[in-house]
Amino acid sequence: AVTDNYGFPNKNIGDAFLLVWKPNKGKQVQEVGDSALRSLLQTMLLLSSSEDLSRIGRRKDIQERLPGYRVHLGFGLHYGWAIEGAIGSQE
């Protein structure tokens, strides 16, 4: 959903992913924001309709260990200036 909507994965951050959309290649800021939101909605629809995730969540061993378990997603959206790339000391 991300690359289909002009975004690209930047990096994996443990249990999260940083996904980036940039207003370039003739894309206006509004169009880039709409693309990011469209990706979010497509991702939510795909995951909520996934038979594989549903089957895993219903497994007896998972429900015994984590009663009522289901997949949860969190999303954040930032617009504005950002530093991109590796930051830190040489050591």
Side-chain angles (χ1 to χ4, degrees), residues 51-90:
E51 285 299 320
D52 290 335
L53 286 177
S54 180
R55 186 179 66 255
I56 291 168
R58 291 190 309 262
R59 284 180 29 186
K60 184 179 177 183
D61 59 330
I62 290 177
Q63 286 300 318
E64 287 174 352
R65 185 171 177 193
L66 303 165
Y69 171 81
R70 65 185 187 98
V71 174
H72 294 276
L73 300 174
F75 295 90
L77 183 61
H78 166 77
Y79 170 77
W81 190 83
I83 296 173
E84 183 178 4
I87 300 173
S89 70
Q90 295 294 325

Side-chain angles (χ1 to χ4, degrees), residues 39-58:
S39 294
L40 162 77
L41 295 173
Q42 288 175 345
T43 300
M44 291 174 68
L45 286 170
L46 288 168
L47 291 176
S48 68
S49 65
S50 169
E51 285 299 320
D52 290 335
L53 286 177
S54 180
R55 186 179 66 255
I56 291 168
R58 291 190 309 262

